[in-house]
Amino acid sequence: MTDIASDVAARQETTASGSRFERLRIGRAGPVLLGLLAAVPPLMMLREVLRYPQMHFFDYWWVLLDLTNDDGTLRPEALFGFRNEHPFVLPSLLFWLSARYGNGLNQPLGLLIVAFGVASVLLVWAMLPRSLGRWQRAGLVVATSTLVFNPHGIHNYVRSMSGASWILALMLVLAALLAMQRGWLSLAVVAGLLASISYGTSFAVWPALALMAWLRGERRSRVITPMAVGVVVVAAWLVLRGPQGGGGGSPTDDPAQALLAGLSMLGMVWTGTEPAVAVIAGVAGLAVLAMHARVAQEHRESSAAWWGLAVYAVGCAVMISGSRAAFGESAGLQSRYNSMTAALWIAFLVIVVAWGRWPALRRVAVFGTVLATVALGAPMAQAVRDDVPNQNLLAVAARIGHPDAFTDRFPEPDRLLPRLRALGHYPFSPEFSLGCDGVNIGSRVDTSTWRTPSIGSFREPGRDGRDVILNVETDQLTGGARMLKGWAISGIERARCVAVLDRTGTVVGGGVVGIPRADAESQTIGIEIGLGFRAVAPAQLGPLRVAFQFPDGWWIRPLTESPQRS
């Protein structure tokens, strides 16, 4: 009897479990829970932005030089200029607002770019076909979020100057496609025009809108209008841009090289660093789309937006390959191009799920894309993170007025630094810090209680056998800057910060710590990575000292009075 009762109870439990699963499958709670996963990618990218330096990057400085007078005031006419031949009105406006009202901080603008990315995901959600089931819609929203905030595209968010053009343009293009999908031609044209003055690749929105109108079976005038506006936009661009540089290289005349750049850009989310894999993925994606190109009459209208998005992505690839292929075989794998490849694969997934020829592969396509592209984006994301020490050191160098070693990322300091000071722009804003407790550039500190290693190699043997070592292996003059490099350890503790002081105890320089140094760390049992440091100070006469803050206090050592010259 007991065995019979146990079997009955087991069957009842199994039936109850199956019933709960069935309720989850057919109810609203399951798709909602799945859809909430779409919040994870932007939250992860938000964390990356908040961890990144406050110092702006690369093109931002060139644009700021164009936008401002010597006293930091705006030159309004410069907002309508071009950057590397691209119309750059809206990004230039965002740069100016950041400089004038945001203390020139990278992170707040990065947060705005994250908001643009979220808006892009919401626009895709609004465009999804109504014929899809709740689970399908939720899965596609998660996949869209993953692609827009993919680790491959970290550059666009943590270096906000890049996303201010690429992610803004993507958002506006999606807004134009949504407007056309809803039959709002005027709004579609306005959004397309805004996209076109954000970045030149957005010119591809005009054939996308025309294709949409044709697939929707709209009258001829509504098909012609986007193309006509596009022709006017491109003609105006050709006339107004004047003679422009190409941003560091000339377009290639080798069709094979251009094809390599374009196809690898379309498939970049399917590889870490290999152009060949990206090309294969790009070709495969286009081939699957080509197999779905014969759209049944009853699906032409509902699929129009996604074919338009695919055409936009391919159009961007064509333009990029024509102008950037000469930069080498990895030209199409740039992190900033993620928004373009995301557009293609979003369109790919919606078409395969909604009108797919192989229904059994729908779930595999969606969740395979989510898992594989995120994992494969790790090398790209790490490469961008590895540049953090360089950018933080640039901020210190600019603050002391000697960014001489950073001409590749901080142009014309004689013109730029006075503008930053006038604007109260980072690193001349209150947010700047060396990360040391109570010690910052310009402060004067009492070093009488700071300890100095007692032997000539600046090594202090500890009683427990764990030494204090303050190693400066490179001390070199570069223009008006004195560049220091080495590693430091106290026992098994790495330094929390580094500062450079003159003979009076005034902090005249500083730098970054926590840099991996495998050569030093392999000799020190029990230490985590990050013994290395880099610092910068003015190349002035007189003795200087470099100091390190450890958990057990400060250690300081003198520098040579005869540094090397680069």
Side-chain angles (χ1 to χ4, degrees):
M1 292 294 292
T2 302
D3 292 340
I4 295 174
S6 298
D7 290 343
V8 171
R11 285 195 296 270
Q12 288 176 340
E13 183 177 348
T14 301
T15 301
S17 176
S19 298
R20 285 194 296 271
F21 179 79
E22 185 65 18
R23 286 196 299 270
L24 182 66
R25 188 181 69 84
I26 65 176
R28 293 182 177 274
V32 170
L33 291 174
L34 176 60
L36 289 176
L37 292 178
V40 174
L43 288 175
M44 296 297 291
M45 194 60 72
L46 179 64
R47 184 183 67 164
E48 296 283 354
V49 169
L50 294 177
R51 288 179 172 181
Y52 225 67
Q54 292 284 18
M55 193 75 169
H56 273 296
F57 288 79
F58 303 113
D59 287 356
Y60 175 90
W61 304 117
W62 291 106
V63 174
L64 190 63
L65 281 171
D66 292 339
L67 286 178
T68 56
N69 298 303
D70 292 340
D71 60 356
T73 55
L74 176 66
R75 297 176 54 241
E77 69 279 5
L79 288 172
F80 301 95
F82 295 85
R83 178 65 189 153
N84 291 339
E85 298 189 341
H86 290 277
F88 215 66
V89 179
L90 296 186
S92 295
L93 180 60
L94 289 177
F95 290 0
W96 164 247
L97 293 174
S98 172
R100 178 64 180 83
Y101 300 104
N103 286 359
L105 301 175
N106 174 53
Q107 290 179 8
L109 185 55
L111 297 180
L112 180 61
I113 307 309
V114 170
F116 291 161
V118 171
S120 299
V121 175
L122 294 176
L123 287 165
V124 170
W125 173 66
M127 291 164 59
L128 289 175
R130 300 301 177 189
S131 59
L132 292 175
R134 289 193 294 269
W135 283 100
Q136 292 173 324
R137 293 174 64 84
L140 287 170
V141 170
V142 172
T144 297
S145 181
T146 302
L147 288 165
V148 171
F149 292 99
N150 200 277
H152 282 93
I154 187 175
H155 181 116
N156 284 321
Y157 299 96
V158 300
R159 299 177 179 179
S160 60
M161 60 87 198
S162 184
S165 51
W166 292 100
I167 305 299
L168 174 60
L170 174 65
M171 180 187 73
L172 291 169
V173 165
L174 289 170
L177 296 177
L178 175 62
M180 182 63 82
Q181 185 189 57
R182 301 292 171 85
W184 304 329
L185 177 61
S186 297
L187 286 178
V189 169
V190 170
L193 289 172
L194 291 175
S196 296
I197 60 174
S198 297
Y199 216 61
T201 51
S202 298
F203 293 167
V205 72
W206 301 111
L209 292 175
L211 175 66
M212 279 190 67
W214 178 73
L215 286 174
R216 287 167 52 84
E218 301 195 20
R219 60 181 182 272
R220 184 176 300 177
S221 62
R222 292 174 67 88
V223 176
I224 294 174
T225 297
M227 287 303 297
V229 174
V231 169
V232 172
V233 167
V234 173
W237 168 69
L238 290 171
V239 171
L240 295 176
R241 66 172 180 160
Q244 297 283 324
S250 301
T252 181
D253 58 358
D254 182 357
Q257 195 169 1
L259 196 61
L260 170 64
L263 289 173
S264 62
M265 191 209 81
L266 291 176
M268 62 176 285
V269 292
W270 292 98
T271 183
T273 57
E274 293 296 327
V277 176
V279 168
I280 293 171
V283 170
L286 294 176
V288 172
L289 286 175
M291 295 178 70
H292 289 77
R294 291 188 62 182
V295 183
Q297 187 64 39
E298 63 270 22
H299 298 315
R300 287 169 65 94
E301 182 174 352
S302 56
S303 67
W306 310 105
W307 289 108
L309 185 59
V311 165
Y312 164 72
V314 172
C316 290
V318 170
M319 286 186 280
I320 291 170
S321 65
S323 60
R324 307 296 289 184
F327 285 78
E329 66 176 11
S330 297
L333 301 184
Q334 302 294 320
S335 180
R336 61 182 178 271
Y337 298 154
N338 181 73
S339 58
M340 307 297 102
T341 190
L344 177 73
W345 291 99
I346 291 168
F348 173 96
L349 289 177
V350 175
I351 290 169
V352 167
V353 170
W355 307 283
R357 293 177 177 270
W358 309 283
L361 296 180
R362 291 172 177 173
R363 295 185 184 89
V364 174
V366 172
F367 293 105
T369 299
V370 170
L371 296 176
T373 59
V374 170
L376 291 168
M380 180 73 75
Q382 190 56 47
V384 174
R385 295 187 196 107
D386 288 343
D387 188 57
V388 167
N390 296 321
Q391 198 66 9
N392 281 329
L393 191 62
L394 167 60
V396 179
R399 177 62 180 257
I400 67 174
H402 295 286
D404 306 60
F406 298 93
T407 54
D408 59 333
R409 61 176 67 203
F410 194 79
E412 302 187 37
D414 291 342
R415 295 178 57 214
L416 189 52
L417 287 173
R419 288 166 163 80
L420 301 188
R421 292 190 185 98
L423 287 165
H425 188 296
Y426 190 87
F428 300 97
S429 67
E431 290 81 7
F432 176 83
S433 172
L434 293 178
C436 304
D437 297 334
V439 175
N440 208 353
I441 299 294
S443 61
R444 188 168 181 174
V445 295
D446 180 7
T447 62
S448 60
T449 61
W450 294 9
R451 294 162 291 177
T452 301
S454 59
I455 59 179
S457 62
F458 300 107
R459 183 187 192 102
E460 181 72 17
R463 296 179 180 177
D464 58 358
R466 300 184 183 277
D467 299 346
V468 175
I469 304 173
L470 311 183
N471 175 40
V472 179
E473 61 194 10
T474 301
D475 185 352
Q476 191 173 65
L477 297 181
T478 302
R482 187 168 179 175
M483 307 300 297
L484 309 173
K485 179 182 178 182
W487 57 275
I489 186 173
S490 176
I492 61 170
E493 300 288 348
R494 58 187 180 184
R496 292 179 173 176
C497 72
V498 57
V500 183
L501 295 81
D502 66 10
R503 70 173 73 191
T504 69
T506 300
V507 180
V508 296
V512 294
V513 295
I515 301 173
R517 284 293 303 267
D519 55 340
E521 290 144 13
S522 64
Q523 304 173 36
T524 309
I525 299 175
I527 184 65
E528 298 178 358
I529 63 171
L531 292 185
F533 76 89
R534 293 175 62 194
V536 59
Q540 62 187 37
L541 296 176
L544 294 177
R545 297 172 291 168
V546 60
F548 303 88
Q549 186 182 35
F550 292 98
D552 62 347
W554 284 88
W555 287 84
I556 190 169
R557 59 155 288 182
L559 295 171
T560 177
E561 294 190 36
S562 302
Q564 301 173 337
R565 293 189 176 274
S566 59

